[in-house]
């Protein structure tokens, strides 16, 4: 962001807006920032000077800047229009430009247009219908004033574009804001990319409120809210999640239905802003500004020390330059040809997934063997439903132990990859892959199948005994008839009874064996389903860990390359520019480094106070 753009973010001034930030509290920070900007000019770090300009504009503004961001079509513009009480941002339009709305006694609208030669022109337009003018060529921003009671409390709303083409301006607005409203659709939970995006937003602006919009269109929004809360907690992001419906609130405003307005969630969101953002504006602004001051101070210190080392001993100038070139090459190799840590991560991830899946199979097969022994000792039909419930409980315990092992092994893998890097910034924030409720992973698994072979009924048992008795009577009766005895006699009757009981017992035994075989087969099929579902979830979570590690260490390599390139450029420029006035320049650098230390201490004392 250029200096003119920084100033433009607060160009529209509402003179009657409430003062939220105490100017007396902000004054010491503004003085420190101004002195740091002078040091950054000496160090030829215009990028840091521009960032300090944004910090100064944010601190000097006595109001609270609230930027609304989110994916396209999530209802950001509708939410801004509802909170401002006027049609500020265009909805359902392909044209998307940043919009800033502040308090003013009258409604106004001004377009900021970029013309030839880099000139900026402000063009007043109709505040009741600004949309047609937004399609004009060169429009880069729209500034509004509205006599809104919410804005009169000292809140400035900034609507960031929801398209990726405006990525640069969106991040500039986030950096210039005191708080961020991240708006998303209540239809779906946060994706991994959205969680990563929120993590990056929190690094730029720590005060973030997640807004779940369009709850009127999604009946299951409460489940989405709970799931988003779990995802944020797992990522270590303590952001509030506020469900709202801007459309319901607009309808309630038109009809005057206060109960409907409360159901929309907008009053609760505004009250949260008052209690946790506006009421703590001084502390939040001080903490955020001091963090930026310390970060900029670290970069300036590296730049000043590098140039001072080159000037202090002219004979070492070439040596220092060579050292910086070597550092740049090493950083470049670390990012582009990082075979060592990438191979460690890839091989470790593959081995980890295989070991975790093997451990899961081993645990479940151990349970299956125990269950099969229990099945063979008894008739499974007697307590098959209770057996299924017990088996699911034991399986959930085994799954929990498996994920506990996976989480431990993932931390070990992170340490192994980190060992390939210098000691600085070694430990990344890994997501906790342990499920809070392991039994939920079994929801997509079909329950144990019912046994098809049942016990024989009274009629079946009678017919089985009758068949056995008939054969016994006939066989023995025919044998005894050779002794001139009748076919039915006491011997044939006794033999019939014995064979009938034997056939009945064999039928019961056969049915029991078939039930046991069916139970074992059902158990095996259930185990395969569990391994399929749980294994897929385990691999998904481990791949997320792999992506976090990859992104973390890639960022380290990229930052090292950027710092080395900048330090090398400054050192080379200093050597060429101050060759004849090296002593004078060196004295200025030493003075600025001492001043830099003092400014950092002053900033630290403000936070401590």
């Amino acid at each position: 962001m250029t200096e003119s753009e920084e100033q433009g973010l607060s160009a529209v001034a509402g003179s009657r807006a409430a003062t939220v930030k105490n100017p007396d509290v902000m004054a010491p920070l503004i003085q420190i920032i101004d002195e740091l900007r002078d040091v950054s000019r000496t160090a030829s770090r215009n990028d840091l000077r521009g960032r300090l300009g944004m910090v100064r504009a944010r601190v000097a503004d006595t109001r609270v800047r609230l930027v609304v961001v989110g994916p396209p079509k999530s209802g950001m513009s509708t939410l801004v229009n509802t909170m401002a009480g006027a049609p500020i941002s265009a909805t359902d339009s392909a044209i998307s430009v940043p919009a800033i709305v502040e308090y003013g006694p009258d409604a106004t609208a001004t377009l900021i247009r970029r013309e030839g030669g880099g000139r900026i022109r402000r063009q007043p337009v109709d505040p009741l219908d600004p949309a047609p003018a937004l399609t004009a060529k060169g429009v880069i921003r729209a500034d509004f004033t509205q006599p809104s009671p919410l804005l009169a409390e000292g809140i400035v709303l900034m609507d960031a574009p929801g398209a990726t083409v405006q990525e640069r301006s969106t991040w500039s607005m986030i950096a210039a804001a005191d708080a961020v409203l991240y708006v998303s659709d209540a239809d779906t939970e946060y994706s991994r990319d959205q969680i990563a995006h929120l993590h990056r937003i929190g690094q730029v602006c720590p005060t973030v409120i997640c807004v779940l919009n369009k709850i009127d269109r999604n009946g299951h929004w409460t489940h989405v809210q709970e799931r988003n809360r779990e995802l944020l907690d797992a990522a270590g992001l303590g952001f509030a999640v506020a469900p709202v419906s801007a459309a319901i609130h607009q309808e309630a405003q038109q009809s005057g239905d206060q109960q409907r307005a409360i159901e929309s969630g907008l009053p609760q969101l505004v009250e949260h802003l008052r209690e946790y953002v506006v009421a703590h504006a001084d502390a939040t602004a001080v903490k955020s500004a001091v963090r930026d001051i310390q970060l900029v101070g670290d970069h300036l210190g590296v730049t000043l020390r590098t140039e001072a080392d080159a000037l202090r001993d002219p004979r070492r100038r070439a040596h220092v330059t060579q050292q910086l070139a070597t550092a740049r090459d090493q950083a470049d190799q670390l990012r582009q040809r990082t075979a060592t840590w990438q191979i460690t991560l890839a091989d470790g991830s593959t081995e980890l997934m295989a070991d975790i899946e093997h451990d899961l199979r081993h645990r479940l097969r151990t349970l299956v063997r125990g269950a099969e022994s229990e099945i063979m000792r008894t008739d499974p039909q007697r307590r098959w439903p209770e057996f299924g419930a017990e088996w699911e409980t034991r399986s959930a315990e085994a799954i929990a132990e498996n994920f506990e092992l996976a989480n431990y092994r993932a931390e070990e893998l992170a340490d192994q990859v980190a060992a390939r890097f210098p000691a600085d910034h070694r430990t990344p924030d890994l997501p906790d892959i342990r499920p809070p409720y392991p039994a939920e992973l079994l929801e997509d698994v079909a329950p144990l199948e019912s046994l098809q072979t049942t016990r024989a009924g009274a009629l079946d048992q009678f017919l089985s005994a009758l068949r056995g008795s008939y054969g016994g009577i006939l066989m023995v009766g025919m044998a005894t008839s050779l002794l001139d005895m009748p076919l039915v006699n006491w011997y044939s009757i006794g033999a019939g009874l014995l064979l009938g009981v034997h056939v009945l017992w064999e039928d019961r035994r056969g049915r029991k064996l078939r039930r046991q075989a069916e139970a074992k087969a059902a158990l095996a099929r259930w185990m395969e389903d569990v391994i399929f579902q749980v294994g897929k979830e385990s691999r998904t979570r481990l791949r997320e860990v792999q992506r976090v590690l990859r992104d973390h260490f890639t960022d380290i390599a990229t930052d090292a390359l950027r710092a080395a390139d900048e330090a090398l450029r400054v050192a080379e420029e200093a050597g060429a520019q101050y060759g004849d006035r090296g002593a004078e320049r060196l004295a200025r650098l030493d003075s600025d480094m001492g001043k830099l230390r003092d400014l950092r201490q002053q900033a630290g004392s403000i936070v401590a106070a």
Side-chain angles (χ1 to χ4, degrees), residues 236-266:
L237 302 175
F239 302 154
V241 180
V244 301
S245 172
I248 291 180
H249 195 270
Q250 286 182 340
E251 296 173 0
Q253 284 181 319
Q254 296 173 358
S255 62
D257 190 344
Q258 294 299 322
Q259 181 62 33
R260 188 69 169 163
I262 294 175
E263 293 176 0
S264 71
L266 256 296

PDB file of all heavy atoms in Angstrom, residues 236-266:
ATOM      1  N   GLY A 236      -6.059 -23.621  17.507  1.00  0.00           N
ATOM      2  CA  GLY A 236      -5.515 -22.671  18.469  1.00  0.00           C
ATOM      3  C   GLY A 236      -5.984 -21.244  18.244  1.00  0.00           C
ATOM      4  O   GLY A 236      -5.316 -20.290  18.649  1.00  0.00           O
ATOM      5  N   LEU A 237      -7.151 -21.062  17.621  1.00  0.00           N
ATOM      6  CA  LEU A 237      -7.696 -19.734  17.338  1.00  0.00           C
ATOM      7  C   LEU A 237      -8.891 -19.486  18.250  1.00  0.00           C
ATOM      8  O   LEU A 237      -9.942 -20.129  18.101  1.00  0.00           O
ATOM      9  CB  LEU A 237      -8.124 -19.625  15.866  1.00  0.00           C
ATOM     10  CG  LEU A 237      -7.025 -19.894  14.832  1.00  0.00           C
ATOM     11  CD1 LEU A 237      -7.605 -19.876  13.415  1.00  0.00           C
ATOM     12  CD2 LEU A 237      -5.908 -18.861  14.950  1.00  0.00           C
ATOM     13  N   GLY A 238      -8.751 -18.595  19.187  1.00  0.00           N
ATOM     14  CA  GLY A 238      -9.818 -18.323  20.150  1.00  0.00           C
ATOM     15  C   GLY A 238     -10.778 -17.251  19.662  1.00  0.00           C
ATOM     16  O   GLY A 238     -11.082 -16.308  20.414  1.00  0.00           O
ATOM     17  N   PHE A 239     -11.268 -17.372  18.432  1.00  0.00           N
ATOM     18  CA  PHE A 239     -12.171 -16.371  17.867  1.00  0.00           C
ATOM     19  C   PHE A 239     -13.613 -16.708  18.232  1.00  0.00           C
ATOM     20  O   PHE A 239     -14.008 -17.882  18.258  1.00  0.00           O
ATOM     21  CB  PHE A 239     -12.041 -16.304  16.340  1.00  0.00           C
ATOM     22  CG  PHE A 239     -10.658 -15.995  15.855  1.00  0.00           C
ATOM     23  CD1 PHE A 239     -10.229 -16.409  14.595  1.00  0.00           C
ATOM     24  CD2 PHE A 239      -9.763 -15.299  16.656  1.00  0.00           C
ATOM     25  CE1 PHE A 239      -8.953 -16.116  14.141  1.00  0.00           C
ATOM     26  CE2 PHE A 239      -8.480 -15.011  16.213  1.00  0.00           C
ATOM     27  CZ  PHE A 239      -8.079 -15.433  14.965  1.00  0.00           C
ATOM     28  N   ALA A 240     -14.406 -15.662  18.479  1.00  0.00           N
ATOM     29  CA  ALA A 240     -15.831 -15.853  18.729  1.00  0.00           C
ATOM     30  C   ALA A 240     -16.542 -16.185  17.419  1.00  0.00           C
ATOM     31  O   ALA A 240     -16.126 -15.747  16.340  1.00  0.00           O
ATOM     32  CB  ALA A 240     -16.430 -14.589  19.344  1.00  0.00           C
ATOM     33  N   VAL A 241     -17.630 -16.985  17.510  1.00  0.00           N
ATOM     34  CA  VAL A 241     -18.431 -17.350  16.347  1.00  0.00           C
ATOM     35  C   VAL A 241     -19.843 -16.827  16.579  1.00  0.00           C
ATOM     36  O   VAL A 241     -20.533 -17.273  17.497  1.00  0.00           O
ATOM     37  CB  VAL A 241     -18.449 -18.878  16.119  1.00  0.00           C
ATOM     38  CG1 VAL A 241     -19.287 -19.216  14.890  1.00  0.00           C
ATOM     39  CG2 VAL A 241     -17.035 -19.404  15.964  1.00  0.00           C
ATOM     40  N   ALA A 242     -20.290 -15.876  15.751  1.00  0.00           N
ATOM     41  CA  ALA A 242     -21.579 -15.212  15.940  1.00  0.00           C
ATOM     42  C   ALA A 242     -22.511 -15.559  14.787  1.00  0.00           C
ATOM     43  O   ALA A 242     -22.235 -15.206  13.637  1.00  0.00           O
ATOM     44  CB  ALA A 242     -21.397 -13.695  16.022  1.00  0.00           C
ATOM     45  N   PRO A 243     -23.632 -16.261  15.047  1.00  0.00           N
ATOM     46  CA  PRO A 243     -24.601 -16.557  13.986  1.00  0.00           C
ATOM     47  C   PRO A 243     -25.538 -15.361  13.761  1.00  0.00           C
ATOM     48  O   PRO A 243     -26.099 -14.801  14.704  1.00  0.00           O
ATOM     49  CB  PRO A 243     -25.365 -17.764  14.549  1.00  0.00           C
ATOM     50  CG  PRO A 243     -25.273 -17.614  16.042  1.00  0.00           C
ATOM     51  CD  PRO A 243     -23.971 -16.907  16.328  1.00  0.00           C
ATOM     52  N   VAL A 244     -25.728 -14.967  12.502  1.00  0.00           N
ATOM     53  CA  VAL A 244     -26.588 -13.828  12.178  1.00  0.00           C
ATOM     54  C   VAL A 244     -27.336 -14.113  10.884  1.00  0.00           C
ATOM     55  O   VAL A 244     -27.003 -15.030  10.132  1.00  0.00           O
ATOM     56  CB  VAL A 244     -25.781 -12.517  12.025  1.00  0.00           C
ATOM     57  CG1 VAL A 244     -25.016 -12.188  13.289  1.00  0.00           C
ATOM     58  CG2 VAL A 244     -24.854 -12.592  10.826  1.00  0.00           C
ATOM     59  N   SER A 245     -28.346 -13.280  10.658  1.00  0.00           N
ATOM     60  CA  SER A 245     -29.045 -13.260   9.370  1.00  0.00           C
ATOM     61  C   SER A 245     -29.305 -11.800   9.039  1.00  0.00           C
ATOM     62  O   SER A 245     -30.218 -11.177   9.594  1.00  0.00           O
ATOM     63  CB  SER A 245     -30.361 -14.046   9.441  1.00  0.00           C
ATOM     64  OG  SER A 245     -31.090 -13.862   8.240  1.00  0.00           O
ATOM     65  N   ALA A 246     -28.505 -11.248   8.150  1.00  0.00           N
ATOM     66  CA  ALA A 246     -28.681  -9.852   7.755  1.00  0.00           C
ATOM     67  C   ALA A 246     -30.016  -9.642   7.059  1.00  0.00           C
ATOM     68  O   ALA A 246     -30.653  -8.597   7.219  1.00  0.00           O
ATOM     69  CB  ALA A 246     -27.528  -9.429   6.844  1.00  0.00           C
ATOM     70  N   ALA A 247     -30.477 -10.655   6.313  1.00  0.00           N
ATOM     71  CA  ALA A 247     -31.744 -10.523   5.599  1.00  0.00           C
ATOM     72  C   ALA A 247     -32.913 -10.419   6.578  1.00  0.00           C
ATOM     73  O   ALA A 247     -33.818  -9.592   6.410  1.00  0.00           O
ATOM     74  CB  ALA A 247     -31.936 -11.711   4.653  1.00  0.00           C
ATOM     75  N   ILE A 248     -32.913 -11.247   7.627  1.00  0.00           N
ATOM     76  CA  ILE A 248     -33.985 -11.188   8.624  1.00  0.00           C
ATOM     77  C   ILE A 248     -33.991  -9.831   9.323  1.00  0.00           C
ATOM     78  O   ILE A 248     -35.045  -9.244   9.584  1.00  0.00           O
ATOM     79  CB  ILE A 248     -33.826 -12.330   9.649  1.00  0.00           C
ATOM     80  CG1 ILE A 248     -34.120 -13.683   8.991  1.00  0.00           C
ATOM     81  CG2 ILE A 248     -34.747 -12.128  10.835  1.00  0.00           C
ATOM     82  CD1 ILE A 248     -33.983 -14.852   9.938  1.00  0.00           C
ATOM     83  N   HIS A 249     -32.792  -9.311   9.626  1.00  0.00           N
ATOM     84  CA  HIS A 249     -32.730  -8.028  10.318  1.00  0.00           C
ATOM     85  C   HIS A 249     -33.244  -6.896   9.432  1.00  0.00           C
ATOM     86  O   HIS A 249     -33.915  -5.963   9.920  1.00  0.00           O
ATOM     87  CB  HIS A 249     -31.294  -7.735  10.758  1.00  0.00           C
ATOM     88  CG  HIS A 249     -31.193  -6.636  11.758  1.00  0.00           C
ATOM     89  ND1 HIS A 249     -31.043  -5.322  11.408  1.00  0.00           N
ATOM     90  CD2 HIS A 249     -31.244  -6.645  13.122  1.00  0.00           C
ATOM     91  CE1 HIS A 249     -30.998  -4.564  12.497  1.00  0.00           C
ATOM     92  NE2 HIS A 249     -31.112  -5.341  13.547  1.00  0.00           N
ATOM     93  N   GLN A 250     -32.955  -6.955   8.132  1.00  0.00           N
ATOM     94  CA  GLN A 250     -33.499  -5.942   7.231  1.00  0.00           C
ATOM     95  C   GLN A 250     -35.024  -6.000   7.193  1.00  0.00           C
ATOM     96  O   GLN A 250     -35.698  -4.959   7.220  1.00  0.00           O
ATOM     97  CB  GLN A 250     -32.925  -6.139   5.834  1.00  0.00           C
ATOM     98  CG  GLN A 250     -31.470  -5.717   5.690  1.00  0.00           C
ATOM     99  CD  GLN A 250     -30.962  -5.882   4.273  1.00  0.00           C
ATOM    100  OE1 GLN A 250     -31.523  -6.626   3.480  1.00  0.00           O
ATOM    101  NE2 GLN A 250     -29.869  -5.184   3.953  1.00  0.00           N
ATOM    102  N   GLU A 251     -35.586  -7.214   7.155  1.00  0.00           N
ATOM    103  CA  GLU A 251     -37.043  -7.353   7.179  1.00  0.00           C
ATOM    104  C   GLU A 251     -37.619  -6.826   8.487  1.00  0.00           C
ATOM    105  O   GLU A 251     -38.667  -6.167   8.495  1.00  0.00           O
ATOM    106  CB  GLU A 251     -37.428  -8.823   6.995  1.00  0.00           C
ATOM    107  CG  GLU A 251     -37.038  -9.409   5.638  1.00  0.00           C
ATOM    108  CD  GLU A 251     -37.297 -10.900   5.566  1.00  0.00           C
ATOM    109  OE1 GLU A 251     -37.782 -11.456   6.583  1.00  0.00           O
ATOM    110  OE2 GLU A 251     -37.013 -11.510   4.518  1.00  0.00           O
ATOM    111  N   ALA A 252     -36.934  -7.112   9.605  1.00  0.00           N
ATOM    112  CA  ALA A 252     -37.408  -6.645  10.901  1.00  0.00           C
ATOM    113  C   ALA A 252     -37.373  -5.124  10.999  1.00  0.00           C
ATOM    114  O   ALA A 252     -38.265  -4.503  11.590  1.00  0.00           O
ATOM    115  CB  ALA A 252     -36.568  -7.265  12.019  1.00  0.00           C
ATOM    116  N   GLN A 253     -36.342  -4.502  10.401  1.00  0.00           N
ATOM    117  CA  GLN A 253     -36.269  -3.037  10.410  1.00  0.00           C
ATOM    118  C   GLN A 253     -37.411  -2.425   9.609  1.00  0.00           C
ATOM    119  O   GLN A 253     -37.983  -1.401  10.002  1.00  0.00           O
ATOM    120  CB  GLN A 253     -34.926  -2.588   9.840  1.00  0.00           C
ATOM    121  CG  GLN A 253     -33.749  -2.763  10.796  1.00  0.00           C
ATOM    122  CD  GLN A 253     -32.453  -2.275  10.189  1.00  0.00           C
ATOM    123  OE1 GLN A 253     -32.182  -2.497   9.015  1.00  0.00           O
ATOM    124  NE2 GLN A 253     -31.626  -1.629  10.993  1.00  0.00           N
ATOM    125  N   GLN A 254     -37.771  -3.049   8.508  1.00  0.00           N
ATOM    126  CA  GLN A 254     -38.845  -2.518   7.679  1.00  0.00           C
ATOM    127  C   GLN A 254     -40.212  -2.665   8.338  1.00  0.00           C
ATOM    128  O   GLN A 254     -41.071  -1.793   8.214  1.00  0.00           O
ATOM    129  CB  GLN A 254     -38.842  -3.210   6.311  1.00  0.00           C
ATOM    130  CG  GLN A 254     -37.581  -2.931   5.492  1.00  0.00           C
ATOM    131  CD  GLN A 254     -37.516  -3.766   4.226  1.00  0.00           C
ATOM    132  OE1 GLN A 254     -38.404  -4.588   3.971  1.00  0.00           O
ATOM    133  NE2 GLN A 254     -36.471  -3.566   3.434  1.00  0.00           N
ATOM    134  N   SER A 255     -40.402  -3.801   9.064  1.00  0.00           N
ATOM    135  CA  SER A 255     -41.696  -4.057   9.703  1.00  0.00           C
ATOM    136  C   SER A 255     -41.768  -3.553  11.138  1.00  0.00           C
ATOM    137  O   SER A 255     -42.856  -3.506  11.725  1.00  0.00           O
ATOM    138  CB  SER A 255     -41.987  -5.558   9.682  1.00  0.00           C
ATOM    139  OG  SER A 255     -41.003  -6.272  10.433  1.00  0.00           O
ATOM    140  N   GLY A 256     -40.625  -3.203  11.734  1.00  0.00           N
ATOM    141  CA  GLY A 256     -40.610  -2.760  13.127  1.00  0.00           C
ATOM    142  C   GLY A 256     -40.782  -3.883  14.128  1.00  0.00           C
ATOM    143  O   GLY A 256     -41.156  -3.645  15.284  1.00  0.00           O
ATOM    144  N   ASP A 257     -40.515  -5.121  13.725  1.00  0.00           N
ATOM    145  CA  ASP A 257     -40.667  -6.290  14.595  1.00  0.00           C
ATOM    146  C   ASP A 257     -39.381  -6.472  15.414  1.00  0.00           C
ATOM    147  O   ASP A 257     -38.373  -6.967  14.899  1.00  0.00           O
ATOM    148  CB  ASP A 257     -40.952  -7.536  13.748  1.00  0.00           C
ATOM    149  CG  ASP A 257     -41.357  -8.737  14.594  1.00  0.00           C
ATOM    150  OD1 ASP A 257     -41.124  -8.714  15.815  1.00  0.00           O
ATOM    151  OD2 ASP A 257     -41.884  -9.706  14.017  1.00  0.00           O
ATOM    152  N   GLN A 258     -39.422  -6.095  16.697  1.00  0.00           N
ATOM    153  CA  GLN A 258     -38.234  -6.183  17.540  1.00  0.00           C
ATOM    154  C   GLN A 258     -37.852  -7.630  17.834  1.00  0.00           C
ATOM    155  O   GLN A 258     -36.674  -7.972  17.908  1.00  0.00           O
ATOM    156  CB  GLN A 258     -38.470  -5.423  18.851  1.00  0.00           C
ATOM    157  CG  GLN A 258     -38.621  -3.930  18.669  1.00  0.00           C
ATOM    158  CD  GLN A 258     -37.375  -3.304  18.071  1.00  0.00           C
ATOM    159  OE1 GLN A 258     -36.253  -3.694  18.391  1.00  0.00           O
ATOM    160  NE2 GLN A 258     -37.560  -2.332  17.181  1.00  0.00           N
ATOM    161  N   GLN A 259     -38.847  -8.493  18.036  1.00  0.00           N
ATOM    162  CA  GLN A 259     -38.553  -9.896  18.309  1.00  0.00           C
ATOM    163  C   GLN A 259     -37.851 -10.542  17.118  1.00  0.00           C
ATOM    164  O   GLN A 259     -36.907 -11.325  17.275  1.00  0.00           O
ATOM    165  CB  GLN A 259     -39.857 -10.650  18.614  1.00  0.00           C
ATOM    166  CG  GLN A 259     -39.667 -12.132  18.939  1.00  0.00           C
ATOM    167  CD  GLN A 259     -38.820 -12.344  20.173  1.00  0.00           C
ATOM    168  OE1 GLN A 259     -38.860 -11.542  21.114  1.00  0.00           O
ATOM    169  NE2 GLN A 259     -38.046 -13.424  20.208  1.00  0.00           N
ATOM    170  N   ARG A 260     -38.299 -10.194  15.924  1.00  0.00           N
ATOM    171  CA  ARG A 260     -37.667 -10.718  14.709  1.00  0.00           C
ATOM    172  C   ARG A 260     -36.235 -10.203  14.587  1.00  0.00           C
ATOM    173  O   ARG A 260     -35.334 -10.925  14.151  1.00  0.00           O
ATOM    174  CB  ARG A 260     -38.487 -10.282  13.502  1.00  0.00           C
ATOM    175  CG  ARG A 260     -38.075 -10.911  12.184  1.00  0.00           C
ATOM    176  CD  ARG A 260     -38.379 -12.384  12.131  1.00  0.00           C
ATOM    177  NE  ARG A 260     -38.223 -12.917  10.798  1.00  0.00           N
ATOM    178  CZ  ARG A 260     -38.112 -14.205  10.514  1.00  0.00           C
ATOM    179  NH1 ARG A 260     -38.135 -15.090  11.501  1.00  0.00           N
ATOM    180  NH2 ARG A 260     -37.977 -14.621   9.270  1.00  0.00           N
ATOM    181  N   ALA A 261     -36.015  -8.951  14.990  1.00  0.00           N
ATOM    182  CA  ALA A 261     -34.670  -8.391  14.937  1.00  0.00           C
ATOM    183  C   ALA A 261     -33.730  -9.137  15.882  1.00  0.00           C
ATOM    184  O   ALA A 261     -32.568  -9.395  15.544  1.00  0.00           O
ATOM    185  CB  ALA A 261     -34.709  -6.903  15.295  1.00  0.00           C
ATOM    186  N   ILE A 262     -34.219  -9.496  17.065  1.00  0.00           N
ATOM    187  CA  ILE A 262     -33.381 -10.250  18.011  1.00  0.00           C
ATOM    188  C   ILE A 262     -33.057 -11.626  17.460  1.00  0.00           C
ATOM    189  O   ILE A 262     -31.946 -12.138  17.592  1.00  0.00           O
ATOM    190  CB  ILE A 262     -34.098 -10.353  19.373  1.00  0.00           C
ATOM    191  CG1 ILE A 262     -34.225  -8.968  20.005  1.00  0.00           C
ATOM    192  CG2 ILE A 262     -33.355 -11.303  20.309  1.00  0.00           C
ATOM    193  CD1 ILE A 262     -35.012  -8.943  21.291  1.00  0.00           C
ATOM    194  N   GLU A 263     -34.033 -12.261  16.777  1.00  0.00           N
ATOM    195  CA  GLU A 263     -33.805 -13.579  16.187  1.00  0.00           C
ATOM    196  C   GLU A 263     -32.739 -13.529  15.095  1.00  0.00           C
ATOM    197  O   GLU A 263     -32.080 -14.531  14.822  1.00  0.00           O
ATOM    198  CB  GLU A 263     -35.107 -14.123  15.606  1.00  0.00           C
ATOM    199  CG  GLU A 263     -36.162 -14.452  16.654  1.00  0.00           C
ATOM    200  CD  GLU A 263     -37.473 -14.887  16.015  1.00  0.00           C
ATOM    201  OE1 GLU A 263     -37.527 -14.917  14.761  1.00  0.00           O
ATOM    202  OE2 GLU A 263     -38.422 -15.197  16.753  1.00  0.00           O
ATOM    203  N   SER A 264     -32.540 -12.360  14.474  1.00  0.00           N
ATOM    204  CA  SER A 264     -31.541 -12.254  13.407  1.00  0.00           C
ATOM    205  C   SER A 264     -30.114 -12.359  13.929  1.00  0.00           C
ATOM    206  O   SER A 264     -29.193 -12.657  13.173  1.00  0.00           O
ATOM    207  CB  SER A 264     -31.710 -10.919  12.670  1.00  0.00           C
ATOM    208  OG  SER A 264     -31.297  -9.829  13.498  1.00  0.00           O
ATOM    209  N   GLY A 265     -29.892 -12.084  15.215  1.00  0.00           N
ATOM    210  CA  GLY A 265     -28.547 -12.163  15.793  1.00  0.00           C
ATOM    211  C   GLY A 265     -27.742 -10.890  15.639  1.00  0.00           C
ATOM    212  O   GLY A 265     -26.674 -10.770  16.251  1.00  0.00           O
ATOM    213  N   LEU A 266     -28.212  -9.908  14.853  1.00  0.00           N
ATOM    214  CA  LEU A 266     -27.455  -8.667  14.669  1.00  0.00           C
ATOM    215  C   LEU A 266     -27.327  -7.863  15.962  1.00  0.00           C
ATOM    216  O   LEU A 266     -26.242  -7.337  16.262  1.00  0.00           O
ATOM    217  CB  LEU A 266     -28.104  -7.824  13.573  1.00  0.00           C
ATOM    218  CG  LEU A 266     -27.426  -7.810  12.212  1.00  0.00           C
ATOM    219  CD1 LEU A 266     -26.056  -7.191  12.296  1.00  0.00           C
ATOM    220  CD2 LEU A 266     -27.353  -9.217  11.645  1.00  0.00           C
TER     221      LEU A 266
END
